[in-house]
Amino acid sequence: MHEFFLNYRTQDGKEAAHIFDTVLSDRFGPDSVFRAQKSIAPGTQWVDMLIGGVRRCRVLLALIGPGWIDAPHQRRPGRRALTDPKDWVRREIEEGFAAGALVVPVLLERRMEQLDPLRLPASLRPLADCQYERYTTRNAEADLTRLGDRLIRQVPDLASLDRRGGSDKATGERSPGSREIRTGRQRGGIGGVHGDVGSFINEAHGPLHTGSGNQLNGPQINGDGTNYVAGDNHGGIRQRFGGPQRPGNDT
């Protein structure tokens, strides 16, 4: 059983489909992704393979590029491919909805706008109401990591196939095996650094204690009304607190 079915138009989704296949297969296993060009063996009945692949998948990812909605019909000039009930992109999505798969529209690149239901056949209008994901070539790794993490939360069975571990965005905690890459510089204050390096301290202007136990840094007296004495102290310190004291009581 393939967990993911990749639905796309060859004209503007073939390259993205190959990247999705590579990344998702690496994370969830080589048999987890159905991509027609890879998954249909020579000599097999490809119609049965396509329909069966959709019906058995858990997640259908509809990769939607800028030319997806207006792709011309190959045999009927002046008509859009989506208007044909036999259009395979359309049929696969319809089968996905009918089979109860999680159908996720993935908008390719920033210029791709959200789907307008009025421009879709009636059978595909629910696709415009599905929460979409966005994928850009520039941020391919981050986008596909985020997508995988979200799909695991929606389809918990995927967690048992996850080879790298996800991240819980709500709590900020990282699952075992996951990696976190941080860039940039940190200045000032005390910040946490993941790993076994302890605390990060930058630009301290006074005594610091980052371990356990007591630390003394010169004479210091704590309490209400006390003074802080800097430098070496070679004598006693006397100080009176509060109001007048009874005769004979030095403090």
Side-chain angles (χ1 to χ4, degrees), residues 180-194:
E180 184 175 0
I181 301 174
R182 294 179 179 270
T183 59
R185 300 180 64 185
Q186 178 173 346
R187 294 180 58 83
I190 302 176
V193 177
H194 293 294

Side-chain angles (χ1 to χ4, degrees), residues 211-224:
S212 60
N214 298 325
Q215 174 174 324
L216 299 177
N217 294 283
Q220 184 173 355
I221 304 173
N222 296 317
D224 294 334

Side-chain angles (χ1 to χ4, degrees), residues 189-190 199-217:
I190 302 176
S199 297
F200 173 85
I201 302 171
N202 191 22
E203 296 186 3
H205 299 289
L208 294 170
H209 191 294
T210 62
S212 60
N214 298 325
Q215 174 174 324
L216 299 177
N217 294 283

Side-chain angles (χ1 to χ4, degrees), residues 4 37 68 80 96 99-100 133 135-136 146 159 173 178 197-198 208 218:
F4 308 98
Q37 188 176 11
W68 184 87
R80 295 185 300 141
E133 285 288 318
Y135 166 83
T136 62
R146 182 188 67 251
E173 296 178 355
S178 66
V197 297
L208 294 170

